[in-house]
Amino acid sequence: MSIKEMISDHPQVGADYNDQLGEAIKHAMYGAAIMNSCADACLAEPNPGERAQCIRRCLDASDACTAFYRMASRRTGGNVAAIKAIGEAVLVAVEACREECSMHEDAHCKRCATMCQEVLDDVRKALDGMSDAR
């Protein structure tokens, strides 16, 4: 099953499928899960209190990604202004998460930082490719 196929099957999308937006939605979905998992892994580290900022930033980024993929995958009627606004919020939250996780050497934070970069790249492309219509 593919979110891209699901969006393409929507009666109001069809041939107007936006591949850049679809890719951003897919990576935001994955990112939300990975960032949430990274926060949980930070809690399991020997000194989780020292990871408070990392945990917070991972959870903020996860929540922003969740809001983005949910709003952007709704194609009925359209609400480009809201999708762009939440996309901008994603860029802020995910960049903060990427910066924080990049400072840690453990595998989960490295993986999270890599996922953050993919989300940032794809959301930027999607926002740049969106028209102001609808």
Side-chain angles (χ1 to χ4, degrees), residues 41-68:
C42 284
L43 283 169
E45 290 291 340
N47 297 309
E50 294 174 7
R51 295 290 184 108
Q53 191 65 8
C54 192
I55 293 164
R56 170 62 192 259
R57 290 188 176 188
C58 286
L59 292 175
D60 286 351
S62 177
D63 288 348
C65 284
T66 297
F68 176 81

Side-chain angles (χ1 to χ4, degrees), residues 5-16 75-76 134:
E5 291 168 350
M6 185 67 187
I7 294 169
S8 293
D9 289 343
H10 191 287
Q12 293 183 4
V13 174
D16 291 330
R75 306 314 309 151
T76 301
R134 288 213 223 170

Side-chain angles (χ1 to χ4, degrees), residues 68-99:
F68 176 81
Y69 86 70
R70 289 178 56 91
M71 290 173 66
S73 62
R74 295 181 194 133
R75 306 314 309 151
T76 301
N79 193 350
V80 172
I83 294 170
K84 284 184 171 185
I86 194 63
E88 292 296 333
V90 165
L91 295 179
V92 171
V94 173
E95 179 59 29
C97 181
R98 187 199 63 75
E99 288 175 3

Side-chain angles (χ1 to χ4, degrees), residues 1-133:
M1 182 59 62
S2 164
I3 188 62
K4 291 179 175 186
E5 291 168 350
M6 185 67 187
I7 294 169
S8 293
D9 289 343
H10 191 287
Q12 293 183 4
V13 174
D16 291 330
Y17 177 75
N18 179 333
D19 193 52
Q20 292 171 323
L21 183 59
E23 199 64 19
I25 290 167
K26 179 180 80 171
H27 278 126
M29 288 173 58
Y30 293 146
I34 287 174
M35 294 160 199
N36 189 64
S37 182
C38 187
D40 184 62
C42 284
L43 283 169
E45 290 291 340
N47 297 309
E50 294 174 7
R51 295 290 184 108
Q53 191 65 8
C54 192
I55 293 164
R56 170 62 192 259
R57 290 188 176 188
C58 286
L59 292 175
D60 286 351
S62 177
D63 288 348
C65 284
T66 297
F68 176 81
Y69 86 70
R70 289 178 56 91
M71 290 173 66
S73 62
R74 295 181 194 133
R75 306 314 309 151
T76 301
N79 193 350
V80 172
I83 294 170
K84 284 184 171 185
I86 194 63
E88 292 296 333
V90 165
L91 295 179
V92 171
V94 173
E95 179 59 29
C97 181
R98 187 199 63 75
E99 288 175 3
E100 184 68 29
C101 281
S102 293
M103 294 190 296
H104 302 286
E105 292 299 319
D106 44 75
H108 60 85
C109 279
K110 286 182 179 183
R111 183 177 313 281
C112 187
T114 298
M115 185 76 245
C116 285
Q117 191 60 57
E118 290 181 27
V119 170
L120 290 166
D121 292 345
D122 287 336
V123 171
R124 280 189 191 107
K125 287 177 192 171
L127 293 177
D128 288 347
M130 292 178 75
S131 69
D132 290 328

